[in-house]
Amino acid sequence: MWNKSFEGSQLKSITIPNEITQINVNAFYGCANLENVTLSTNIKTISGWAFYGCSLLKGINLPNTLVTLGEEAFKGCTSSTNIVFGNNAQSIGRESFSGCTSLQTIEFGSGVTNIFGGALNGCSSLKTITCRAETPPNMLGGNYLQNVEHVYVPSNAVESYKTASQWSSYANII
């Protein structure tokens, strides 16, 4: 999918065909009326700013094939409440969900190795984080999670998370 393919359009719903494996930079940037997106089951990369400012986007169902989520990819998607990553996802970009004020739960798959700075900043409704990776992902600077009540991790990795940099500040809720 090309850079800026639908930037600023009045789309309300779209289905991305299975031939598409990457959503490029700014593809749906500022599509303020976009409510529903059905992603290709072959998407490997969602580039930076792809869905930035899609404030009505309600559900974000990420395919299991997704490996990389670019910076600020879903920033400002204020209507989204739940995000689930498959086990192939490895890298969560800087500020990728920043300002998603309705986000309540997020689940990272077992393949996540890096959650870059500010990925969840401003997610004021976020209560539950689930991380299926047995090795705590690097949660790189600037992730300030103030209202989180529960962090779920694999039972055999609880102590690793409690002592890992950036995760240790949530030790009492892991």
Side-chain angles (χ1 to χ4, degrees), residues 31-97:
C31 290
N33 295 321
L34 187 61
E35 294 180 23
N36 298 300
V37 173
T38 302
L39 293 172
S40 157
T41 58
N42 294 318
I43 294 286
K44 291 185 169 107
T45 301
I46 297 176
S47 298
W49 307 279
F51 293 94
Y52 184 107
C54 295
S55 58
L56 295 181
L57 188 59
K58 291 184 172 101
I60 303 169
N61 296 315
L62 301 171
N64 287 329
T65 54
L66 182 68
V67 175
T68 303
L69 182 65
E71 65 183 83
E72 300 184 29
F74 291 97
K75 186 173 184 174
C77 292
T78 56
S79 296
S80 299
T81 60
N82 182 42
I83 309 289
V84 177
F85 284 91
N87 290 327
N88 289 318
Q90 297 172 6
S91 179
I92 312 303
R94 181 185 63 80
E95 295 190 32
S96 50
F97 297 101

Side-chain angles (χ1 to χ4, degrees), residues 1 6 10 12 16 19 26 31 34 45 60 72 74 77 79 84-85 105 127 131 152 168 171 174:
M1 185 160 281
F6 298 96
Q10 298 301 309
K12 289 186 178 187
I16 310 296
E19 294 78 25
N26 291 15
C31 290
L34 187 61
T45 301
I60 303 169
E72 300 184 29
F74 291 97
C77 292
S79 296
V84 177
F85 284 91
T105 63
K127 301 290 184 216
C131 194
Y152 296 107
S168 61
I174 293 176

Side-chain angles (χ1 to χ4, degrees), residues 95 97-99 115-126 129 139-148 166 169-170:
E95 295 190 32
F97 297 101
S98 181
I115 302 170
F116 286 94
L120 301 170
N121 282 358
C123 296
S124 54
S125 298
L126 185 61
I129 297 173
M139 190 159 43
L140 304 168
N143 283 299
Y144 304 108
L145 311 174
Q146 298 175 355
N147 299 318
V148 174
Q166 292 283 323
S169 57
Y170 309 106

